[in-house]
Amino acid sequence: MNTKTLISIMCLVFLGAFYSENPVSTQKDDIFEYLEETGEGLEESVESLSEAQMQFKANPDSWSVAEIVEHINIVEGALKSMLEAKFAEDPTPELRAEVKMTDEDIIAFITDRSQKVKTQSQFEPSAKYKNADEALEAFKDQREDIVDFLKDSDVDMRNYINEFPFGKIDACQTVLFMAGHTARHTEQIKEIKASAGFPED
């Protein structure tokens, strides 16, 4: 999947925008902290669940916890591929002035669950995970690869700009979007665990 296609799909999945004249410059260490925070939040919400709890669906049209974790893994893998392709290109610092969303805007945008939109087929889970251990192992392995990739990249992430239908965002903000997406779905998992009929064990 090329960068343009992925960007278009992600924007259709999460419609909305928050604009500001002066984007805030989150430091790179802050990005890793948010990745760690959201990763730990997901793990804590899932790790103690039984197989019955992982497979429970609040209604026939909803996802199970196992499917949500799979969806998170699919999206994070796709975004990592997008970043890898972007870093292979020349930086475009001349476009930085066109970035209008702040880092806080990005996080608020992606974590807002007030509007729920069905995902595109490319990001649909296939029910491949049966228990918490295998789902979280896949998540943690991929997250570790993502963090290693970002730490090994010596590029200035602010100089790599992605074109979204709602505007331009930089690579730092793409990582924040990734982590925020995980936070968004961790909240969905909490909602499932609080729903009527969720197995006790």
PDB file of all heavy atoms in Angstrom, residues 105-144:
ATOM      1  N   ASP A 105      -3.659  18.764  19.158  1.00  0.00           N
ATOM      2  CA  ASP A 105      -4.813  18.596  18.269  1.00  0.00           C
ATOM      3  C   ASP A 105      -4.881  17.168  17.738  1.00  0.00           C
ATOM      4  O   ASP A 105      -5.959  16.561  17.672  1.00  0.00           O
ATOM      5  CB  ASP A 105      -4.717  19.548  17.072  1.00  0.00           C
ATOM      6  CG  ASP A 105      -4.900  21.010  17.451  1.00  0.00           C
ATOM      7  OD1 ASP A 105      -5.460  21.290  18.521  1.00  0.00           O
ATOM      8  OD2 ASP A 105      -4.481  21.867  16.649  1.00  0.00           O
ATOM      9  N   ILE A 106      -3.731  16.645  17.327  1.00  0.00           N
ATOM     10  CA  ILE A 106      -3.674  15.291  16.773  1.00  0.00           C
ATOM     11  C   ILE A 106      -4.167  14.278  17.798  1.00  0.00           C
ATOM     12  O   ILE A 106      -4.987  13.397  17.498  1.00  0.00           O
ATOM     13  CB  ILE A 106      -2.237  14.953  16.333  1.00  0.00           C
ATOM     14  CG1 ILE A 106      -1.801  15.837  15.147  1.00  0.00           C
ATOM     15  CG2 ILE A 106      -2.114  13.467  15.973  1.00  0.00           C
ATOM     16  CD1 ILE A 106      -2.532  15.551  13.855  1.00  0.00           C
ATOM     17  N   ILE A 107      -3.668  14.391  19.012  1.00  0.00           N
ATOM     18  CA  ILE A 107      -4.060  13.443  20.061  1.00  0.00           C
ATOM     19  C   ILE A 107      -5.543  13.579  20.389  1.00  0.00           C
ATOM     20  O   ILE A 107      -6.261  12.575  20.519  1.00  0.00           O
ATOM     21  CB  ILE A 107      -3.197  13.656  21.319  1.00  0.00           C
ATOM     22  CG1 ILE A 107      -1.735  13.290  21.014  1.00  0.00           C
ATOM     23  CG2 ILE A 107      -3.720  12.810  22.483  1.00  0.00           C
ATOM     24  CD1 ILE A 107      -0.766  13.650  22.125  1.00  0.00           C
ATOM     25  N   ALA A 108      -6.034  14.817  20.499  1.00  0.00           N
ATOM     26  CA  ALA A 108      -7.451  15.025  20.780  1.00  0.00           C
ATOM     27  C   ALA A 108      -8.326  14.466  19.667  1.00  0.00           C
ATOM     28  O   ALA A 108      -9.380  13.866  19.912  1.00  0.00           O
ATOM     29  CB  ALA A 108      -7.727  16.515  20.971  1.00  0.00           C
ATOM     30  N   PHE A 109      -7.884  14.654  18.450  1.00  0.00           N
ATOM     31  CA  PHE A 109      -8.607  14.204  17.269  1.00  0.00           C
ATOM     32  C   PHE A 109      -8.778  12.692  17.254  1.00  0.00           C
ATOM     33  O   PHE A 109      -9.884  12.163  17.135  1.00  0.00           O
ATOM     34  CB  PHE A 109      -7.835  14.711  16.045  1.00  0.00           C
ATOM     35  CG  PHE A 109      -8.194  14.091  14.727  1.00  0.00           C
ATOM     36  CD1 PHE A 109      -9.496  13.877  14.350  1.00  0.00           C
ATOM     37  CD2 PHE A 109      -7.180  13.761  13.828  1.00  0.00           C
ATOM     38  CE1 PHE A 109      -9.802  13.334  13.113  1.00  0.00           C
ATOM     39  CE2 PHE A 109      -7.473  13.215  12.587  1.00  0.00           C
ATOM     40  CZ  PHE A 109      -8.792  12.996  12.234  1.00  0.00           C
ATOM     41  N   ILE A 110      -7.668  11.973  17.430  1.00  0.00           N
ATOM     42  CA  ILE A 110      -7.722  10.525  17.272  1.00  0.00           C
ATOM     43  C   ILE A 110      -8.321   9.820  18.492  1.00  0.00           C
ATOM     44  O   ILE A 110      -8.920   8.755  18.371  1.00  0.00           O
ATOM     45  CB  ILE A 110      -6.328   9.963  16.942  1.00  0.00           C
ATOM     46  CG1 ILE A 110      -6.392   8.477  16.587  1.00  0.00           C
ATOM     47  CG2 ILE A 110      -5.350  10.194  18.078  1.00  0.00           C
ATOM     48  CD1 ILE A 110      -7.277   8.164  15.404  1.00  0.00           C
ATOM     49  N   THR A 111      -8.187  10.409  19.678  1.00  0.00           N
ATOM     50  CA  THR A 111      -8.720   9.743  20.870  1.00  0.00           C
ATOM     51  C   THR A 111     -10.187  10.060  21.132  1.00  0.00           C
ATOM     52  O   THR A 111     -10.804   9.442  22.009  1.00  0.00           O
ATOM     53  CB  THR A 111      -7.894  10.120  22.124  1.00  0.00           C
ATOM     54  OG1 THR A 111      -7.907  11.540  22.296  1.00  0.00           O
ATOM     55  CG2 THR A 111      -6.456   9.624  22.002  1.00  0.00           C
ATOM     56  N   ASP A 112     -10.767  10.987  20.391  1.00  0.00           N
ATOM     57  CA  ASP A 112     -12.167  11.363  20.571  1.00  0.00           C
ATOM     58  C   ASP A 112     -13.087  10.266  20.044  1.00  0.00           C
ATOM     59  O   ASP A 112     -13.125   9.992  18.848  1.00  0.00           O
ATOM     60  CB  ASP A 112     -12.435  12.675  19.835  1.00  0.00           C
ATOM     61  CG  ASP A 112     -13.885  13.137  19.952  1.00  0.00           C
ATOM     62  OD1 ASP A 112     -14.623  12.565  20.798  1.00  0.00           O
ATOM     63  OD2 ASP A 112     -14.275  14.043  19.206  1.00  0.00           O
ATOM     64  N   ARG A 113     -13.816   9.620  20.948  1.00  0.00           N
ATOM     65  CA  ARG A 113     -14.701   8.528  20.550  1.00  0.00           C
ATOM     66  C   ARG A 113     -16.162   8.960  20.469  1.00  0.00           C
ATOM     67  O   ARG A 113     -17.066   8.127  20.425  1.00  0.00           O
ATOM     68  CB  ARG A 113     -14.562   7.355  21.527  1.00  0.00           C
ATOM     69  CG  ARG A 113     -13.274   6.566  21.284  1.00  0.00           C
ATOM     70  CD  ARG A 113     -13.156   5.352  22.207  1.00  0.00           C
ATOM     71  NE  ARG A 113     -14.353   4.520  22.244  1.00  0.00           N
ATOM     72  CZ  ARG A 113     -14.731   3.674  21.282  1.00  0.00           C
ATOM     73  NH1 ARG A 113     -14.012   3.558  20.173  1.00  0.00           N
ATOM     74  NH2 ARG A 113     -15.825   2.937  21.433  1.00  0.00           N
ATOM     75  N   SER A 114     -16.399  10.266  20.423  1.00  0.00           N
ATOM     76  CA  SER A 114     -17.779  10.745  20.356  1.00  0.00           C
ATOM     77  C   SER A 114     -18.416  10.433  19.006  1.00  0.00           C
ATOM     78  O   SER A 114     -19.635  10.327  18.897  1.00  0.00           O
ATOM     79  CB  SER A 114     -17.838  12.246  20.628  1.00  0.00           C
ATOM     80  OG  SER A 114     -17.111  12.972  19.642  1.00  0.00           O
ATOM     81  N   GLN A 115     -17.579  10.292  17.979  1.00  0.00           N
ATOM     82  CA  GLN A 115     -18.067   9.901  16.660  1.00  0.00           C
ATOM     83  C   GLN A 115     -17.379   8.606  16.258  1.00  0.00           C
ATOM     84  O   GLN A 115     -16.155   8.559  16.131  1.00  0.00           O
ATOM     85  CB  GLN A 115     -17.789  10.993  15.625  1.00  0.00           C
ATOM     86  CG  GLN A 115     -18.563  12.271  15.869  1.00  0.00           C
ATOM     87  CD  GLN A 115     -18.365  13.281  14.754  1.00  0.00           C
ATOM     88  OE1 GLN A 115     -17.618  13.060  13.812  1.00  0.00           O
ATOM     89  NE2 GLN A 115     -19.059  14.388  14.859  1.00  0.00           N
ATOM     90  N   LYS A 116     -18.167   7.560  16.080  1.00  0.00           N
ATOM     91  CA  LYS A 116     -17.619   6.251  15.750  1.00  0.00           C
ATOM     92  C   LYS A 116     -17.863   5.962  14.274  1.00  0.00           C
ATOM     93  O   LYS A 116     -18.982   6.068  13.789  1.00  0.00           O
ATOM     94  CB  LYS A 116     -18.245   5.185  16.635  1.00  0.00           C
ATOM     95  CG  LYS A 116     -18.003   5.433  18.123  1.00  0.00           C
ATOM     96  CD  LYS A 116     -18.672   4.403  19.004  1.00  0.00           C
ATOM     97  CE  LYS A 116     -18.466   4.722  20.461  1.00  0.00           C
ATOM     98  NZ  LYS A 116     -19.110   3.726  21.357  1.00  0.00           N
ATOM     99  N   VAL A 117     -16.792   5.593  13.574  1.00  0.00           N
ATOM    100  CA  VAL A 117     -16.863   5.351  12.142  1.00  0.00           C
ATOM    101  C   VAL A 117     -16.339   3.957  11.843  1.00  0.00           C
ATOM    102  O   VAL A 117     -15.302   3.543  12.370  1.00  0.00           O
ATOM    103  CB  VAL A 117     -16.039   6.399  11.361  1.00  0.00           C
ATOM    104  CG1 VAL A 117     -16.149   6.163   9.861  1.00  0.00           C
ATOM    105  CG2 VAL A 117     -16.486   7.812  11.737  1.00  0.00           C
ATOM    106  N   LYS A 118     -17.031   3.215  11.000  1.00  0.00           N
ATOM    107  CA  LYS A 118     -16.604   1.866  10.632  1.00  0.00           C
ATOM    108  C   LYS A 118     -15.289   1.938   9.865  1.00  0.00           C
ATOM    109  O   LYS A 118     -15.124   2.754   8.961  1.00  0.00           O
ATOM    110  CB  LYS A 118     -17.682   1.186   9.783  1.00  0.00           C
ATOM    111  CG  LYS A 118     -17.340  -0.262   9.394  1.00  0.00           C
ATOM    112  CD  LYS A 118     -18.497  -0.898   8.662  1.00  0.00           C
ATOM    113  CE  LYS A 118     -18.123  -2.276   8.125  1.00  0.00           C
ATOM    114  NZ  LYS A 118     -17.727  -3.203   9.212  1.00  0.00           N
ATOM    115  N   THR A 119     -14.375   1.067  10.218  1.00  0.00           N
ATOM    116  CA  THR A 119     -13.069   1.066   9.571  1.00  0.00           C
ATOM    117  C   THR A 119     -13.144   0.550   8.142  1.00  0.00           C
ATOM    118  O   THR A 119     -14.110  -0.117   7.743  1.00  0.00           O
ATOM    119  CB  THR A 119     -12.060   0.230  10.380  1.00  0.00           C
ATOM    120  OG1 THR A 119     -10.733   0.513   9.912  1.00  0.00           O
ATOM    121  CG2 THR A 119     -12.336  -1.262  10.225  1.00  0.00           C
ATOM    122  N   GLN A 120     -12.138   0.846   7.364  1.00  0.00           N
ATOM    123  CA  GLN A 120     -12.053   0.346   5.992  1.00  0.00           C
ATOM    124  C   GLN A 120     -11.615  -1.119   6.009  1.00  0.00           C
ATOM    125  O   GLN A 120     -11.034  -1.616   6.983  1.00  0.00           O
ATOM    126  CB  GLN A 120     -11.063   1.191   5.192  1.00  0.00           C
ATOM    127  CG  GLN A 120     -11.454   2.658   5.073  1.00  0.00           C
ATOM    128  CD  GLN A 120     -12.737   2.841   4.281  1.00  0.00           C
ATOM    129  OE1 GLN A 120     -12.829   2.416   3.138  1.00  0.00           O
ATOM    130  NE2 GLN A 120     -13.716   3.477   4.891  1.00  0.00           N
ATOM    131  N   SER A 121     -11.880  -1.815   4.919  1.00  0.00           N
ATOM    132  CA  SER A 121     -11.631  -3.267   4.855  1.00  0.00           C
ATOM    133  C   SER A 121     -10.161  -3.613   5.087  1.00  0.00           C
ATOM    134  O   SER A 121      -9.851  -4.677   5.626  1.00  0.00           O
ATOM    135  CB  SER A 121     -12.085  -3.818   3.503  1.00  0.00           C
ATOM    136  OG  SER A 121     -11.386  -3.202   2.433  1.00  0.00           O
ATOM    137  N   GLN A 122      -9.258  -2.724   4.700  1.00  0.00           N
ATOM    138  CA  GLN A 122      -7.832  -2.991   4.867  1.00  0.00           C
ATOM    139  C   GLN A 122      -7.435  -3.123   6.332  1.00  0.00           C
ATOM    140  O   GLN A 122      -6.396  -3.714   6.644  1.00  0.00           O
ATOM    141  CB  GLN A 122      -6.992  -1.876   4.229  1.00  0.00           C
ATOM    142  CG  GLN A 122      -7.044  -1.842   2.721  1.00  0.00           C
ATOM    143  CD  GLN A 122      -8.198  -1.003   2.215  1.00  0.00           C
ATOM    144  OE1 GLN A 122      -9.170  -0.737   2.923  1.00  0.00           O
ATOM    145  NE2 GLN A 122      -8.104  -0.579   0.959  1.00  0.00           N
ATOM    146  N   PHE A 123      -8.243  -2.563   7.220  1.00  0.00           N
ATOM    147  CA  PHE A 123      -7.912  -2.571   8.636  1.00  0.00           C
ATOM    148  C   PHE A 123      -8.841  -3.461   9.451  1.00  0.00           C
ATOM    149  O   PHE A 123      -8.807  -3.430  10.675  1.00  0.00           O
ATOM    150  CB  PHE A 123      -7.942  -1.140   9.180  1.00  0.00           C
ATOM    151  CG  PHE A 123      -7.016  -0.213   8.437  1.00  0.00           C
ATOM    152  CD1 PHE A 123      -7.525   0.765   7.589  1.00  0.00           C
ATOM    153  CD2 PHE A 123      -5.652  -0.334   8.553  1.00  0.00           C
ATOM    154  CE1 PHE A 123      -6.680   1.607   6.890  1.00  0.00           C
ATOM    155  CE2 PHE A 123      -4.785   0.504   7.871  1.00  0.00           C
ATOM    156  CZ  PHE A 123      -5.298   1.478   7.031  1.00  0.00           C
ATOM    157  N   GLU A 124      -9.669  -4.255   8.766  1.00  0.00           N
ATOM    158  CA  GLU A 124     -10.583  -5.159   9.459  1.00  0.00           C
ATOM    159  C   GLU A 124      -9.808  -6.345  10.040  1.00  0.00           C
ATOM    160  O   GLU A 124      -8.956  -6.928   9.368  1.00  0.00           O
ATOM    161  CB  GLU A 124     -11.639  -5.687   8.489  1.00  0.00           C
ATOM    162  CG  GLU A 124     -12.702  -4.672   8.105  1.00  0.00           C
ATOM    163  CD  GLU A 124     -13.807  -4.574   9.139  1.00  0.00           C
ATOM    164  OE1 GLU A 124     -13.747  -5.312  10.147  1.00  0.00           O
ATOM    165  OE2 GLU A 124     -14.729  -3.766   8.933  1.00  0.00           O
ATOM    166  N   PRO A 125     -10.077  -6.722  11.283  1.00  0.00           N
ATOM    167  CA  PRO A 125      -9.431  -7.902  11.870  1.00  0.00           C
ATOM    168  C   PRO A 125      -9.980  -9.183  11.271  1.00  0.00           C
ATOM    169  O   PRO A 125     -11.098  -9.210  10.749  1.00  0.00           O
ATOM    170  CB  PRO A 125      -9.784  -7.789  13.352  1.00  0.00           C
ATOM    171  CG  PRO A 125     -11.067  -7.025  13.375  1.00  0.00           C
ATOM    172  CD  PRO A 125     -10.988  -6.051  12.232  1.00  0.00           C
ATOM    173  N   SER A 126      -9.201 -10.247  11.365  1.00  0.00           N
ATOM    174  CA  SER A 126      -9.600 -11.539  10.805  1.00  0.00           C
ATOM    175  C   SER A 126      -9.860 -12.582  11.885  1.00  0.00           C
ATOM    176  O   SER A 126      -9.994 -13.762  11.578  1.00  0.00           O
ATOM    177  CB  SER A 126      -8.506 -12.058   9.872  1.00  0.00           C
ATOM    178  OG  SER A 126      -7.292 -12.262  10.599  1.00  0.00           O
ATOM    179  N   ALA A 127      -9.914 -12.148  13.145  1.00  0.00           N
ATOM    180  CA  ALA A 127     -10.131 -13.051  14.283  1.00  0.00           C
ATOM    181  C   ALA A 127      -9.005 -14.073  14.407  1.00  0.00           C
ATOM    182  O   ALA A 127      -9.231 -15.236  14.732  1.00  0.00           O
ATOM    183  CB  ALA A 127     -11.491 -13.737  14.175  1.00  0.00           C
ATOM    184  N   LYS A 128      -7.777 -13.635  14.187  1.00  0.00           N
ATOM    185  CA  LYS A 128      -6.628 -14.541  14.203  1.00  0.00           C
ATOM    186  C   LYS A 128      -6.146 -14.866  15.616  1.00  0.00           C
ATOM    187  O   LYS A 128      -5.476 -15.881  15.821  1.00  0.00           O
ATOM    188  CB  LYS A 128      -5.474 -13.948  13.401  1.00  0.00           C
ATOM    189  CG  LYS A 128      -4.889 -12.681  13.973  1.00  0.00           C
ATOM    190  CD  LYS A 128      -3.862 -12.048  13.031  1.00  0.00           C
ATOM    191  CE  LYS A 128      -2.612 -12.872  12.914  1.00  0.00           C
ATOM    192  NZ  LYS A 128      -1.569 -12.173  12.123  1.00  0.00           N
ATOM    193  N   TYR A 129      -6.458 -14.011  16.600  1.00  0.00           N
ATOM    194  CA  TYR A 129      -5.981 -14.242  17.959  1.00  0.00           C
ATOM    195  C   TYR A 129      -7.069 -14.894  18.805  1.00  0.00           C
ATOM    196  O   TYR A 129      -8.225 -14.473  18.774  1.00  0.00           O
ATOM    197  CB  TYR A 129      -5.560 -12.929  18.623  1.00  0.00           C
ATOM    198  CG  TYR A 129      -4.494 -12.176  17.879  1.00  0.00           C
ATOM    199  CD1 TYR A 129      -4.600 -10.793  17.679  1.00  0.00           C
ATOM    200  CD2 TYR A 129      -3.373 -12.823  17.359  1.00  0.00           C
ATOM    201  CE1 TYR A 129      -3.619 -10.089  17.003  1.00  0.00           C
ATOM    202  CE2 TYR A 129      -2.396 -12.125  16.675  1.00  0.00           C
ATOM    203  CZ  TYR A 129      -2.525 -10.758  16.494  1.00  0.00           C
ATOM    204  OH  TYR A 129      -1.566 -10.063  15.817  1.00  0.00           O
ATOM    205  N   LYS A 130      -6.687 -15.907  19.565  1.00  0.00           N
ATOM    206  CA  LYS A 130      -7.641 -16.619  20.403  1.00  0.00           C
ATOM    207  C   LYS A 130      -7.519 -16.251  21.875  1.00  0.00           C
ATOM    208  O   LYS A 130      -8.487 -16.361  22.629  1.00  0.00           O
ATOM    209  CB  LYS A 130      -7.446 -18.138  20.241  1.00  0.00           C
ATOM    210  CG  LYS A 130      -7.632 -18.634  18.822  1.00  0.00           C
ATOM    211  CD  LYS A 130      -8.988 -18.240  18.260  1.00  0.00           C
ATOM    212  CE  LYS A 130      -9.141 -18.706  16.815  1.00  0.00           C
ATOM    213  NZ  LYS A 130     -10.405 -18.206  16.214  1.00  0.00           N
ATOM    214  N   ASN A 131      -6.339 -15.828  22.309  1.00  0.00           N
ATOM    215  CA  ASN A 131      -6.161 -15.511  23.723  1.00  0.00           C
ATOM    216  C   ASN A 131      -5.325 -14.257  23.896  1.00  0.00           C
ATOM    217  O   ASN A 131      -4.750 -13.729  22.942  1.00  0.00           O
ATOM    218  CB  ASN A 131      -5.546 -16.694  24.472  1.00  0.00           C
ATOM    219  CG  ASN A 131      -4.215 -17.122  23.875  1.00  0.00           C
ATOM    220  OD1 ASN A 131      -3.267 -16.331  23.823  1.00  0.00           O
ATOM    221  ND2 ASN A 131      -4.121 -18.372  23.423  1.00  0.00           N
ATOM    222  N   ALA A 132      -5.252 -13.781  25.137  1.00  0.00           N
ATOM    223  CA  ALA A 132      -4.558 -12.532  25.425  1.00  0.00           C
ATOM    224  C   ALA A 132      -3.061 -12.635  25.170  1.00  0.00           C
ATOM    225  O   ALA A 132      -2.438 -11.685  24.680  1.00  0.00           O
ATOM    226  CB  ALA A 132      -4.816 -12.124  26.878  1.00  0.00           C
ATOM    227  N   ASP A 133      -2.477 -13.780  25.483  1.00  0.00           N
ATOM    228  CA  ASP A 133      -1.030 -13.928  25.340  1.00  0.00           C
ATOM    229  C   ASP A 133      -0.573 -13.730  23.907  1.00  0.00           C
ATOM    230  O   ASP A 133       0.374 -12.983  23.640  1.00  0.00           O
ATOM    231  CB  ASP A 133      -0.582 -15.313  25.834  1.00  0.00           C
ATOM    232  CG  ASP A 133      -0.629 -15.432  27.350  1.00  0.00           C
ATOM    233  OD1 ASP A 133      -0.704 -14.380  28.024  1.00  0.00           O
ATOM    234  OD2 ASP A 133      -0.593 -16.572  27.860  1.00  0.00           O
ATOM    235  N   GLU A 134      -1.244 -14.387  22.955  1.00  0.00           N
ATOM    236  CA  GLU A 134      -0.785 -14.272  21.564  1.00  0.00           C
ATOM    237  C   GLU A 134      -1.090 -12.892  20.985  1.00  0.00           C
ATOM    238  O   GLU A 134      -0.295 -12.356  20.194  1.00  0.00           O
ATOM    239  CB  GLU A 134      -1.387 -15.376  20.693  1.00  0.00           C
ATOM    240  CG  GLU A 134      -2.895 -15.388  20.567  1.00  0.00           C
ATOM    241  CD  GLU A 134      -3.374 -16.526  19.664  1.00  0.00           C
ATOM    242  OE1 GLU A 134      -2.567 -17.037  18.864  1.00  0.00           O
ATOM    243  OE2 GLU A 134      -4.564 -16.894  19.774  1.00  0.00           O
ATOM    244  N   ALA A 135      -2.201 -12.305  21.399  1.00  0.00           N
ATOM    245  CA  ALA A 135      -2.538 -10.970  20.898  1.00  0.00           C
ATOM    246  C   ALA A 135      -1.534  -9.932  21.398  1.00  0.00           C
ATOM    247  O   ALA A 135      -1.041  -9.103  20.622  1.00  0.00           O
ATOM    248  CB  ALA A 135      -3.950 -10.589  21.342  1.00  0.00           C
ATOM    249  N   LEU A 136      -1.217  -9.986  22.691  1.00  0.00           N
ATOM    250  CA  LEU A 136      -0.287  -9.020  23.257  1.00  0.00           C
ATOM    251  C   LEU A 136       1.150  -9.270  22.818  1.00  0.00           C
ATOM    252  O   LEU A 136       1.928  -8.327  22.670  1.00  0.00           O
ATOM    253  CB  LEU A 136      -0.378  -9.031  24.785  1.00  0.00           C
ATOM    254  CG  LEU A 136      -1.626  -8.369  25.374  1.00  0.00           C
ATOM    255  CD1 LEU A 136      -1.605  -8.468  26.886  1.00  0.00           C
ATOM    256  CD2 LEU A 136      -1.742  -6.913  24.934  1.00  0.00           C
ATOM    257  N   GLU A 137       1.499 -10.515  22.613  1.00  0.00           N
ATOM    258  CA  GLU A 137       2.855 -10.803  22.126  1.00  0.00           C
ATOM    259  C   GLU A 137       3.081 -10.166  20.760  1.00  0.00           C
ATOM    260  O   GLU A 137       4.125  -9.562  20.505  1.00  0.00           O
ATOM    261  CB  GLU A 137       3.090 -12.314  22.039  1.00  0.00           C
ATOM    262  CG  GLU A 137       4.500 -12.675  21.571  1.00  0.00           C
ATOM    263  CD  GLU A 137       4.741 -14.167  21.504  1.00  0.00           C
ATOM    264  OE1 GLU A 137       3.793 -14.946  21.717  1.00  0.00           O
ATOM    265  OE2 GLU A 137       5.891 -14.568  21.222  1.00  0.00           O
ATOM    266  N   ALA A 138       2.073 -10.280  19.888  1.00  0.00           N
ATOM    267  CA  ALA A 138       2.181  -9.668  18.559  1.00  0.00           C
ATOM    268  C   ALA A 138       2.263  -8.150  18.676  1.00  0.00           C
ATOM    269  O   ALA A 138       3.057  -7.502  17.977  1.00  0.00           O
ATOM    270  CB  ALA A 138       0.986 -10.072  17.698  1.00  0.00           C
ATOM    271  N   PHE A 139       1.450  -7.581  19.559  1.00  0.00           N
ATOM    272  CA  PHE A 139       1.474  -6.129  19.751  1.00  0.00           C
ATOM    273  C   PHE A 139       2.824  -5.664  20.274  1.00  0.00           C
ATOM    274  O   PHE A 139       3.425  -4.724  19.743  1.00  0.00           O
ATOM    275  CB  PHE A 139       0.372  -5.700  20.717  1.00  0.00           C
ATOM    276  CG  PHE A 139       0.476  -4.261  21.148  1.00  0.00           C
ATOM    277  CD1 PHE A 139       0.092  -3.236  20.294  1.00  0.00           C
ATOM    278  CD2 PHE A 139       0.992  -3.927  22.398  1.00  0.00           C
ATOM    279  CE1 PHE A 139       0.210  -1.900  20.676  1.00  0.00           C
ATOM    280  CE2 PHE A 139       1.112  -2.596  22.793  1.00  0.00           C
ATOM    281  CZ  PHE A 139       0.721  -1.584  21.921  1.00  0.00           C
ATOM    282  N   LYS A 140       3.316  -6.315  21.336  1.00  0.00           N
ATOM    283  CA  LYS A 140       4.564  -5.877  21.957  1.00  0.00           C
ATOM    284  C   LYS A 140       5.752  -6.055  21.025  1.00  0.00           C
ATOM    285  O   LYS A 140       6.655  -5.213  20.994  1.00  0.00           O
ATOM    286  CB  LYS A 140       4.775  -6.625  23.277  1.00  0.00           C
ATOM    287  CG  LYS A 140       3.808  -6.175  24.370  1.00  0.00           C
ATOM    288  CD  LYS A 140       4.131  -6.786  25.723  1.00  0.00           C
ATOM    289  CE  LYS A 140       3.723  -8.232  25.816  1.00  0.00           C
ATOM    290  NZ  LYS A 140       3.858  -8.749  27.204  1.00  0.00           N
ATOM    291  N   ASP A 141       5.780  -7.148  20.274  1.00  0.00           N
ATOM    292  CA  ASP A 141       6.878  -7.370  19.329  1.00  0.00           C
ATOM    293  C   ASP A 141       6.917  -6.273  18.270  1.00  0.00           C
ATOM    294  O   ASP A 141       7.982  -5.749  17.938  1.00  0.00           O
ATOM    295  CB  ASP A 141       6.743  -8.735  18.657  1.00  0.00           C
ATOM    296  CG  ASP A 141       7.109  -9.886  19.587  1.00  0.00           C
ATOM    297  OD1 ASP A 141       7.670  -9.615  20.677  1.00  0.00           O
ATOM    298  OD2 ASP A 141       6.830 -11.053  19.229  1.00  0.00           O
ATOM    299  N   GLN A 142       5.743  -5.934  17.737  1.00  0.00           N
ATOM    300  CA  GLN A 142       5.698  -4.913  16.700  1.00  0.00           C
ATOM    301  C   GLN A 142       6.013  -3.533  17.290  1.00  0.00           C
ATOM    302  O   GLN A 142       6.743  -2.745  16.664  1.00  0.00           O
ATOM    303  CB  GLN A 142       4.324  -4.890  16.031  1.00  0.00           C
ATOM    304  CG  GLN A 142       4.222  -3.838  14.926  1.00  0.00           C
ATOM    305  CD  GLN A 142       2.990  -4.027  14.077  1.00  0.00           C
ATOM    306  OE1 GLN A 142       3.057  -4.550  12.965  1.00  0.00           O
ATOM    307  NE2 GLN A 142       1.846  -3.590  14.580  1.00  0.00           N
ATOM    308  N   ARG A 143       5.494  -3.231  18.473  1.00  0.00           N
ATOM    309  CA  ARG A 143       5.774  -1.941  19.110  1.00  0.00           C
ATOM    310  C   ARG A 143       7.277  -1.791  19.344  1.00  0.00           C
ATOM    311  O   ARG A 143       7.843  -0.713  19.169  1.00  0.00           O
ATOM    312  CB  ARG A 143       5.035  -1.827  20.430  1.00  0.00           C
ATOM    313  CG  ARG A 143       3.745  -1.030  20.420  1.00  0.00           C
ATOM    314  CD  ARG A 143       3.973   0.443  20.019  1.00  0.00           C
ATOM    315  NE  ARG A 143       2.718   1.164  19.981  1.00  0.00           N
ATOM    316  CZ  ARG A 143       2.199   1.834  20.996  1.00  0.00           C
ATOM    317  NH1 ARG A 143       2.840   1.871  22.153  1.00  0.00           N
ATOM    318  NH2 ARG A 143       1.055   2.464  20.851  1.00  0.00           N
ATOM    319  N   GLU A 144       7.917  -2.870  19.770  1.00  0.00           N
ATOM    320  CA  GLU A 144       9.361  -2.824  19.996  1.00  0.00           C
ATOM    321  C   GLU A 144      10.089  -2.520  18.695  1.00  0.00           C
ATOM    322  O   GLU A 144      11.038  -1.726  18.669  1.00  0.00           O
ATOM    323  CB  GLU A 144       9.840  -4.156  20.578  1.00  0.00           C
ATOM    324  CG  GLU A 144      11.325  -4.172  20.914  1.00  0.00           C
ATOM    325  CD  GLU A 144      11.787  -5.463  21.563  1.00  0.00           C
ATOM    326  OE1 GLU A 144      10.924  -6.279  21.948  1.00  0.00           O
ATOM    327  OE2 GLU A 144      13.004  -5.660  21.687  1.00  0.00           O
TER     328      GLU A 144
END
